[in-house]
Amino acid sequence: MSNTIAGGAVRVLWLKLHPGIILALAVFFFTTLVFAATPSSSTLNPVNGSSATWAGSGIAGATTDETTCVDGTDCDVYTITLTGSPANYKGLVLAISISHQNKLNDYDLYVHKGDLTGPVIASSTAGIPETGEAVAIDPTVSGTGLYTVHVVDSNVLPGDPYSGVATITTPPADSPAHGTAPTYANYQSPPGLGDSSGEPSIGANFNSGRIMTQAVFDTLQVTFNTNTSPATATWLLKDGPNTDIITLDPILFTDSLTGRTVVAQLFGTTSLSSFTDNDGETYTVSQGGGIASGVDHETVGGGPFRLCTADQLVATPLPCAQLAVRGPLTQYPHAVYYASQDIGDAEMALSQDGGLTYEEAHPMYTLVDCGGLHGHIKVSSSGIVYVPNKSCGSTQGLIVSMDNGLTFAVEPVTGSTPNSSDPSVGIGSKGRVYFGYVAGDGHPHITVSDDQGRSWHNDLDVGVPFSIRNTVFPEVVAGDNDRASFFFLGTPSAGDGTGADTGIPFNGVWHGYIATTYNGGRTWFTVDATPNDAVQLGVICTQGTTCPNGTRNLLDFNDITVDKVGRVFTAYTDGCITAACIAKGNDPAASHTRLDNDGATKATIIRQSTGLGLFKSQDGTRLQP
């Protein structure tokens, strides 16, 4: 949804203020928008060297992402018209760049096809320190006509104007992957803890530095001692008072910024749930879930509340104006969301008091739109809520709410094909969406959106370096906008490695892989993070309750998170833990049946040991083992 309103527009932001007061701030503009770009537009021809320049006026402020900026105040518009037909640009690209002087200032660059309501087809959002951003666009793919350049003030002080250049030129050489590949170490839970740990969740508390993880009945607190090399881990059982009684779908969510961890067990049309603000030392029992929630596949997530922009206020005035009456307003600064799936639809409920109570659940989609099961909730820094789905018609899909979980749009992930594993999303600091999924052919793919799922680009098969042909449990986390990690279980074995057919043996050796990008998804490092210890031998069935005995011990998902220094952690359940199973997994001559496995469900954490993390600001402090 565009943030541009012309012709006497009024922009109103509804802010949730402590101690829970909604304040309406009206900001009036000129009858036409005041653009800072001088000149405001140009026309380029399909000739190598055709170019134009413009000057920005040095706008100042701080903007969460492109959806929250105000044109003429903290973002700037410049339009380019390409003449001719797409075929005229064969062997040429449209290169657009901006530059400024102070490397501690941060401008971001977005390019829309058409006006600002059109899809974002290219972006550059590198972050501090930087003195410029650049993109290259292929008109033979994107077409000719109008392009709109949106320069967004992410974090800029006055007195540092930018300059822009647009040029028709020959394509640059393909960008190599930035940096070097990270390395990882595995930490298995001690005997007696995490022995039944299918479907693990994981979270990082930025305040305490601890890791929280949950699977089946066990909620575990993990502390890493970095005074030794390699680091050692201390595991402690920290169950909530009502979350170790019964289990259907266990889930854990940690709000890294506030330090609150919510733990839940599905219980009919709600859940048994508690939250802790001290990593499990004490808990508060909560309502559990929204009234009229579903009966399966629960998920909990959270983050900042969404601020209503003027165009949203016009389109959906009641959701924007009535946030205060949708539930109790408290000192807790973030929203918490509970979602689950029912027979014919899936629902989400908002908590405005940190997960203590929830409003009535609202439908996210019906079976007409998508399959019933969905992935896990993620919330952007500007409060946009995302839930991925593995089957929305002919593609996978992303369910998006721009109004704090009241209404939803289903966005198809173009280029994807449905599969049986739930996809996952990671949201960059400036709103970039990384969608990790298993394609219909079983390969691990990840694709990127810079416009809340309306368009997608850089869809890549990150399993190519290891010839991965079967994949399960994709999990994604992002840090800075240009940095993300994608965890999945994969095997190079061909055949039906995730189905319920017992008549066809599957000779699979499954490992945990992590792919990481440092350049916005253009290239990825893919690493085998369990190189000497297979996670599973044989089949990992993803067909739910129809799976044969012994093939669904890992259940339905894993999880991934990042700590305050950008270090990546993943949680998985290990099905191959005995010396005999590990040895057979390491024997390239061995064959495996579907039951040739320990059938274990042992809690295990992968911790990044070396390499760059997901926060550029922490690059000066190199990660140590």
Side-chain angles (χ1 to χ4, degrees):
M1 191 175 291
S2 170
N3 289 322
T4 301
I5 302 177
V10 177
R11 179 176 299 275
V12 180
L13 304 181
W14 291 91
L15 305 179
K16 184 177 188 297
L17 299 180
H18 295 162
I21 300 172
I22 301 296
L23 176 65
L25 299 176
V27 181
F28 294 90
F29 296 96
F30 298 105
T31 56
T32 58
L33 287 174
V34 179
F35 297 120
T38 305
S40 62
S41 64
S42 65
T43 299
L44 300 181
N45 303 313
V47 176
N48 190 358
S50 178
S51 65
T53 62
W54 75 97
S57 65
I59 53 181
T63 302
T64 305
D65 60 37
E66 190 193 14
T67 70
T68 64
C69 76
V70 179
D71 289 318
T73 299
D74 54 9
C75 54
D76 189 9
V77 173
Y78 178 78
T79 60
I80 301 167
T81 300
L82 298 188
T83 65
S85 69
N88 297 142
Y89 290 84
K90 184 177 181 180
L92 298 172
V93 296
L94 168 60
I96 303 171
S97 64
I98 60 172
S99 61
H100 59 97
Q101 295 297 316
N102 188 344
K103 68 179 181 180
L104 297 181
N105 281 336
D106 184 15
Y107 287 101
D108 290 335
L109 174 65
Y110 297 85
V111 182
H112 295 253
K113 185 63 176 74
D115 60 20
L116 284 178
T117 66
V120 175
I121 60 168
S123 67
S124 182
T125 56
I128 296 172
E130 56 92 358
T131 56
E133 307 283 0
V135 298
I137 298 164
D138 185 352
T140 66
V141 175
S142 301
T144 55
L146 182 67
Y147 288 83
T148 299
V149 180
H150 211 192
V151 180
V152 176
D153 165 17
S154 178
N155 190 1
V156 178
L157 295 175
D160 187 24
Y162 76 91
S163 58
V165 179
T167 305
I168 302 300
T169 186
T170 54
D174 290 340
S175 299
H178 290 185
T180 57
T183 63
Y184 303 91
N186 285 251
Y187 293 81
Q188 193 172 92
S189 58
L193 289 181
D195 291 339
S196 179
S197 292
E199 298 184 350
S201 305
I202 191 170
N205 184 340
F206 284 9
N207 302 316
S208 69
R210 293 193 181 102
I211 299 296
M212 298 293 289
T213 183
Q214 159 81 17
V216 189
F217 289 117
D218 289 353
T219 303
L220 301 170
Q221 176 202 95
V222 188
T223 304
F224 288 90
N225 179 7
T226 57
N227 293 324
T228 63
S229 184
T232 57
T234 300
W235 300 67
L236 297 175
L237 184 65
K238 296 294 180 180
D239 286 341
N242 63 340
T243 57
D244 61 350
I245 301 169
I246 187 172
T247 182
L248 289 173
D249 281 339
I251 199 71
L252 173 146
F253 162 71
T254 298
D255 188 319
S256 296
L257 297 180
T258 68
R260 177 164 294 184
T261 293
V262 179
V263 183
Q265 299 281 2
L266 189 65
F267 188 67
T269 58
T270 182
S271 71
L272 300 175
S273 182
S274 300
F275 62 80
T276 174
D277 292 321
N278 51 20
D279 302 327
E281 298 302 328
T282 59
Y283 281 90
T284 300
V285 175
S286 81
Q287 173 185 330
I291 300 170
S293 295
V295 297
D296 192 18
H297 227 58
E298 71 173 356
T299 175
V300 178
F305 286 90
R306 178 66 177 167
L307 307 183
C308 285
T309 57
D311 45 1
Q312 292 167 329
L313 183 66
V314 172
T316 56
L318 290 180
C320 287
Q322 293 184 354
L323 183 61
V325 300
R326 286 175 59 186
L329 299 171
T330 68
Q331 292 288 341
Y332 192 75
H334 283 178
V336 175
Y337 298 95
Y338 177 90
S340 53
Q341 171 253 340
D342 219 326
I343 296 172
D345 63 0
E347 304 92 358
M348 178 181 288
L350 165 68
S351 171
Q352 296 192 74
D353 55 13
L356 181 63
T357 63
Y358 293 83
E359 68 176 4
E360 183 175 354
H362 301 284
M364 295 190 292
Y365 57 86
T366 70
L367 293 181
V368 175
D369 305 305
C370 300
L373 300 181
H374 50 73
H376 296 309
I377 299 167
K378 298 290 179 68
V379 180
S380 77
S381 58
S382 63
I384 303 172
V385 183
Y386 297 96
V387 179
N389 190 291
K390 62 191 174 186
S391 180
C392 296
S394 61
T395 69
Q396 304 201 25
L398 186 62
I399 293 85
V400 184
S401 176
M402 304 287 284
D403 54 13
N404 300 292
L406 189 62
T407 63
F408 299 86
V410 178
E411 303 289 357
V413 181
T414 53
S416 68
T417 47
N419 191 272
S420 59
S421 267
D422 293 330
S424 175
V425 291
I427 315 299
S429 60
K430 299 175 182 178
R432 177 169 290 146
V433 177
Y434 295 87
F435 188 99
Y437 70 98
V438 182
D441 62 4
H443 293 211
H445 278 249
I446 192 159
T447 185
V448 178
S449 175
D450 283 302
D451 52 15
Q452 303 80 55
R454 291 183 296 143
S455 65
W456 299 89
H457 55 274
N458 293 339
D459 190 324
L460 295 175
D461 179 349
V462 296
V464 168
F466 294 91
S467 302
I468 303 300
R469 298 178 181 175
N470 272 286
T471 309
V472 295
F473 310 159
E475 307 294 341
V476 184
V477 68
D480 289 344
N481 227 34
D482 283 354
R483 300 189 180 193
S485 288
F486 176 24
F487 173 54
F488 57 90
L489 302 186
T491 176
S493 297
D496 185 13
T498 62
D501 187 354
T502 61
I504 302 175
F506 180 73
N507 192 32
V509 178
W510 299 80
H511 285 244
Y513 298 89
I514 301 177
T516 300
T517 183
Y518 299 105
N519 58 11
R522 295 195 300 275
T523 56
W524 296 80
F525 292 109
T526 302
V527 174
D528 184 348
T530 63
N532 302 312
D533 184 356
V535 175
Q536 180 94 327
L537 305 183
V539 171
I540 300 178
C541 185
T542 58
Q543 306 299 318
T545 57
T546 65
C547 289
N549 289 336
T551 63
R552 193 175 172 250
N553 53 307
L554 308 186
L555 298 180
D556 293 332
F557 57 82
N558 292 314
D559 203 5
I560 188 169
T561 192
V562 61
D563 72 3
K564 64 182 177 181
V565 299
R567 190 189 301 269
V568 172
F569 294 81
T570 71
Y572 72 94
T573 183
D574 194 348
C576 181
I577 61 174
T578 64
C581 184
I582 293 170
K584 196 164 189 180
N586 290 331
D587 183 356
S591 60
H592 314 288
T593 68
R594 69 177 181 86
L595 295 177
D596 187 14
N597 194 62
D598 289 334
T601 57
K602 186 63 173 168
T604 310
I605 289 175
I606 299 173
R607 175 181 181 267
Q608 184 180 351
S609 297
T610 66
L612 296 178
L614 299 187
F615 297 129
K616 187 177 182 181
S617 62
Q618 301 295 319
D619 285 354
T621 305
R622 189 171 181 83
L623 299 182
Q624 298 296 325

